[in-house]
């Protein structure tokens, strides 16, 4: 059987930023090139996004945008099983089973819940947020995934899914594959225009769909030190350099570092250079994005929902028989 790699994309925002691109999209595309023979399940974690996003139009459009952006960045969507768990009843069905096999103490130790507790009162947190990892375990175990690539923050959730698989297998006999978690290297923490981690929540990001005017404005906003043009500058202390570096080859990087250290490079020139780099990187992505219609994505989702439903239904039948839901 082919190796199965599975991961979910949470459509909480209308677009992605450079941090998402270098931290998630690019590594995903590279990984799928490495594992050419694997079956890749790339699904919309819209049922997870619903824990925080209750605007129907936004949830729908974000879901389409994120897949269009992946395609525009070079992901060949026809190679993956892309689908929405909302089209596959198995996700909700398996969630119910795991709900009843999980004690509250386990969920109370989960990141997602603790993060929600940090932000507000216990009684204001939705049950969906509390049970977030349970749905995630269902997403994974329903398809007997071999490997689950995620960011560091999701490691605990995949470990819970592994525990659940083992617990169920012990109690009801061998049913689920115990998946491996693959944590994306944190090699590229992309800084935002204020020097902190680029993030939607800090509003310090450069979006993949930002227009030229917006990008120019944001690049101009990057704070720099007060130094004369002639002075030698330390590239590692310059946020303009740190962002520019993302777009450079090793040789280009070495040359730029030399220019910083030699003196004679103005921050205005450094910013103009960064602006050019961002524009030439984003232009083809934005052009490709504009050519992909919502309809294309919807057609792909519908086609895959049928295939994926068959896999999920078989698994649910097996589980339901084992736990005593099947009467005949
Ligand atoms: P945000 O912080 O903007 O809300 P998300 O938490 O939605 O971003 O990020 C989704 C994924 O994108 C994360 O799991 C992480 O792997 C990646 N990511 C986000 N911001 C960055 C960044 N600044 N540098 C590297 N990777 C990032
Ligand atoms: N919770 C994940 C995130 O925030 C998204 C997700 C949902 C997921 N279900 C999953 C990832 C299953 C991997 C496997 O990024």
């Amino acid at each position: 059987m082919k190796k199965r790699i599975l991961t979910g994309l949470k459509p909480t925002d209308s677009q992605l930023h450079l941090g998402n691109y270098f931290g998630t999209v690019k590594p995903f595309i590279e990984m799928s090139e490495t594992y050419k023979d694997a079956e890749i399940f790339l699904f919309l974690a819209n049922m997870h996004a619903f824990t925080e996003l209750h605007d129907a139009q936004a949830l729908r459009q974000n879901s389409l945008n994120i897949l269009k952006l992946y395609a525009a960045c070079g992901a060949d969507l026809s190679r993956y099983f892309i689908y929405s768990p909302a089209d596959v009843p198995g996700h909700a069905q398996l969630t119910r089973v795991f709900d009843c096999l999980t004690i509250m103490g386990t969920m109370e130790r989960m990141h997602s819940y603790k993060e929600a507790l940090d932000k507000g009162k216990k009684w204001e947190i939705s049950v969906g947020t509390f049970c977030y990892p349970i749905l995630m375990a269902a997403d994974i175990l329903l398809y007997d995934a071999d490997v689950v690539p995620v960011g560091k923050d999701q490691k605990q959730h995949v470990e819970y899914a592994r525990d659940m698989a083992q617990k169920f297998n012990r109690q009801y006999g061998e049913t689920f594959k115990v998946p491996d978690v693959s944590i994306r290297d944190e090699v590229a923490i992309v800084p935002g225009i204020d020097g902190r981690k680029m993030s939607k929540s800090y509003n310090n990001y450069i979006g993949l769909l930002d227009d030229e005017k917006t990008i120019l404005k944001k690049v101009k906003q990057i704070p720099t030190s007060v130094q004369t043009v002639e002075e030698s500058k330390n590239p590692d202390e310059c946020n303009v350099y740190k962002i520019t570096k993302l777009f450079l080859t090793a040789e280009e990087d070495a040359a730029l570092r030399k220019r910083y250290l030699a003196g004679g490079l103005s921050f205005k020139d450094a910013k103009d250079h960064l602006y050019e780099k961002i524009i030439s990187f984003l232009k083809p992505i934005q052009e490709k994005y504009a050519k992909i219609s919502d309809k294309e994505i919807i057609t792909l989702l519908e086609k895959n929902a049928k295939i994926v439903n068959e896999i999920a239904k078989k698994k649910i039948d097996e589980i339901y028989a084992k736990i005593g839901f099947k009467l005949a």
Side-chain angles (χ1 to χ4, degrees), residues 18 206 215 219 247 274-282:
L18 289 175
I206 294 173
I215 293 169
V219 170
F247 304 100
L274 171 59
Y275 172 75
E276 293 301 330
K277 285 286 171 197
I278 297 175
I279 298 296
S280 56
F281 173 74
L282 290 183

Side-chain angles (χ1 to χ4, degrees), residues 12-13 17 19-20 22-24 151 153 184 186 188-191 197-201:
T12 37
D13 295 289
H17 53 66
N20 300 138
F22 287 102
T24 309
D153 60 322
R184 274 191 300 270
E186 293 278 355
I189 286 284
V190 176
K197 173 184 179 270
M198 186 176 286
S199 173
K200 233 86 95 205
S201 37

